[in-house]
Amino acid sequence: MTTGKISEITPLQEWEIFNGRPLVISGPCSAETEEQVMETARQLAATKRVDLFRAGIWKPRTRPNSFEGIGTEGLKWLKQVKQEYGMPVAIEVATEKHVFEALKYGIDVLWIGARTTVNPFAMQALADALEGVDVMVFVKNPINPELDLWIGAIERIQKAGIKKIGAIHRGFSSFEKSAYRNQPKWQIPIELRQRIPEIALICDPSHMGGSKAFLLDLAQKSMDLNYDGLMIESHSDPDNALSDKRQQIKPAELVELLDRIILRNPDSHDDNFLNSIEELRSQIDMYDDQLFEILESRMKVAETIGQYKKEHNITILQTNRWKEIVNKTVSKCADKGLSTEFISTVLKAIHQESINHQMRVMNEK
Ligand code: PEP
Ligand code: MN
């Protein structure tokens, strides 16, 4: 058991793999064959844009009978990638055995996947296996949007004495339908950075978006929020990938994508002001997105109520209920710095829109 105190995190700028922002981690979702790994690595190395080559060796899959990874055999190929192309290599580890095998093959960086971060028993077992080892570790956010679980996982790794620890934001699973495979919920990593300011923050737009189409937007957003790096899945032949084919891009497409990202330099003194404004604006955009998502959910509830009212023959407008909402909200918001006038304007607009939705439901044949 590790009882040691929490070690200090080494800033990303001091890691040997860091060559400037953004740190680019790329490679296939899964190592499939020697040829696929070596060819993807060859093309990625040739771009000179990739700081760290990734590949999944053991794959956590939602359903059995999907490709669950090539296993230990693939570690030889990664060793070869390192030797032939000079790129450091990263894999996902989920068990102690994975850690020992990875270390045996000289894997430089271990990342802990979302399905492992979520489990404190698994995290502690990994931390125990990592005790006193000099290796870089990235911790992906847990599947569910619970910041303390993410922080707890990071702390367990810190307690094992690991100093080079980063966090990877890959989004959160949700029962609600959304265009993204995993919802970003940007406020959670923003809060993580407030709680652990020295931790490197990497965005994984591949698993967040789940599709090539969202990569640029998500990557740009993360750069505007001043993230330190990107993890983007790349495959020499994405159409025939054995896992995550919709979200993998060719190495040449990775270069195009990186070229299109507008980088605002947070360290430049001249641009300091503009950069902070940009970061704040991104936060505003994020809150606006959330506001409208919440409004959308609210309208859906209103529609369901409309359906009930229709079935029970009740009128749409119930004045008492409306007064109650206004009074309750005004008193709840008294200490939020929002004026009564603003609250009632917003509520009126929301109420009107709700009525419109209910009307539509009630008048449907
Ligand atoms: C991966 O990076 O291939 C992976 C399985 O990611 P996640 O843990 O974010 O689902
Ligand atoms: Mn994947």
Side-chain angles (χ1 to χ4, degrees):
M1 272 299 292
T2 52
T3 49
K5 71 175 187 26
I6 287 200
S7 68
E8 270 175 38
I9 292 176
T10 309
L12 182 68
Q13 291 70 24
E14 294 169 27
W15 298 20
E16 57 271 36
I17 60 169
F18 185 75
N19 297 301
R21 183 171 166 268
L23 176 86
V24 177
I25 307 170
S26 192
C29 178
S30 308
E32 300 168 3
T33 63
E34 179 174 355
E35 195 200 356
Q36 166 252 6
V37 168
M38 296 312 290
E39 180 56 17
T40 306
R42 186 188 67 75
Q43 292 182 25
L44 286 175
T47 69
K48 298 194 180 349
R49 304 291 284 271
V50 176
D51 302 301
L52 179 62
F53 182 80
R54 64 148 281 159
I57 294 289
W58 298 279
K59 298 303 296 178
R61 304 305 298 276
T62 306
R63 307 276 303 270
N65 303 326
S66 317
F67 175 64
E68 292 187 302
I70 194 75
T72 305
E73 190 187 351
L75 292 171
K76 282 188 280 191
W77 310 333
L78 292 182
K79 201 170 165 185
Q80 220 171 300
V81 165
K82 221 173 127 169
Q83 282 163 353
E84 277 190 33
Y85 301 116
M87 279 190 293
V89 290
I91 67 162
E92 171 175 348
V93 291
T95 67
E96 292 147 285
K97 175 182 167 262
H98 296 168
V99 171
F100 297 136
E101 293 282 287
L103 296 175
K104 204 159 78 192
Y105 283 85
I107 302 298
D108 304 275
V109 178
L110 310 180
W111 87 80
I112 294 156
R115 292 163 193 77
T116 307
T117 309
V118 86
N119 181 346
F121 288 133
M123 278 310 306
Q124 191 54 52
L126 286 176
D128 291 345
L130 286 165
E131 182 89 50
V133 175
D134 183 18
V135 69
M136 297 168 259
V137 176
F138 283 110
V139 182
K140 285 198 165 195
N141 67 253
I143 293 265
N144 53 318
E146 203 181 320
L147 177 60
D148 277 327
L149 212 42
W150 199 359
I151 291 181
I154 293 166
E155 284 171 345
R156 287 178 201 276
I157 302 299
Q158 279 180 285
K159 283 182 77 173
I162 302 281
K163 293 192 160 53
K164 291 173 185 150
I165 309 176
I168 299 178
H169 175 212
R170 50 79 83 195
F172 302 88
S173 173
S174 159
F175 189 63
E176 295 149 44
K177 275 216 170 64
S178 117
Y180 297 138
R181 179 175 175 188
N182 290 293
Q183 295 189 351
K185 299 195 187 290
W186 299 98
Q187 75 277 18
I188 294 179
I190 288 173
E191 171 107 25
L192 173 74
R193 207 165 37 183
Q194 272 156 12
R195 302 254 303 262
I196 316 180
E198 61 282 14
I199 198 152
L201 193 52
I202 310 294
C203 179
D204 173 350
S206 303
H207 291 91
M208 196 180 277
S211 155
K212 292 176 212 189
F214 300 128
L215 290 176
L216 179 61
D217 265 8
L218 291 168
Q220 181 66 55
K221 181 125 212 165
S222 71
M223 288 299 110
D224 290 343
L225 288 168
N226 210 5
Y227 280 41
D228 302 284
L230 296 164
M231 179 188 253
I232 299 177
E233 284 185 342
S234 179
H235 190 293
S236 55
D237 183 11
D239 291 342
N240 291 306
L242 296 182
S243 57
D244 287 351
K245 64 164 81 168
R246 289 182 58 231
Q247 71 198 32
Q248 301 206 63
I249 54 176
K250 292 186 179 156
E253 293 173 301
L254 176 75
V255 176
E256 275 170 41
L257 183 125
L258 293 173
D259 282 343
R260 287 174 71 188
I261 294 175
I262 299 164
L263 264 195
R264 297 168 178 100
N265 183 0
D267 296 327
S268 150
H269 293 295
D270 294 347
D271 290 335
N272 250 348
F273 169 71
L274 280 178
N275 282 321
S276 338
I277 289 282
E278 214 45 61
E279 188 171 338
L280 291 169
R281 282 190 182 138
S282 293
Q283 291 191 25
I284 293 269
D285 288 350
M286 160 194 98
Y287 284 117
D288 284 351
D289 286 350
Q290 283 176 14
L291 266 176
F292 285 98
E293 269 169 32
I294 291 173
L295 284 174
E296 187 193 352
S297 306
R298 191 194 189 282
M299 293 308 155
K300 293 213 172 103
V301 175
E303 285 168 15
T304 309
I305 293 179
Q307 192 62 41
Y308 279 126
K309 286 180 176 169
K310 181 180 179 180
E311 285 162 11
H312 295 92
N313 237 351
I314 300 172
T315 57
I316 285 186
L317 199 60
Q318 288 168 295
T319 322
N320 287 344
R321 164 81 183 132
W322 173 236
K323 274 200 194 123
E324 196 186 297
I325 292 184
V326 176
N327 291 339
K328 212 167 65 187
T329 314
V330 168
S331 68
K332 261 204 243 163
C333 294
D335 59 353
K336 286 193 167 38
L338 304 172
S339 71
T340 308
E341 189 197 358
F342 171 70
I343 294 165
S344 71
T345 309
V346 170
L347 270 181
K348 262 189 208 140
I350 294 176
H351 188 232
Q352 186 54 54
E353 183 70 10
S354 269
I355 290 176
N356 295 347
H357 280 249
Q358 290 195 12
M359 290 276 241
R360 221 176 39 230
V361 170
M362 288 190 108
N363 294 322
E364 259 165 18
K365 297 256 159 33

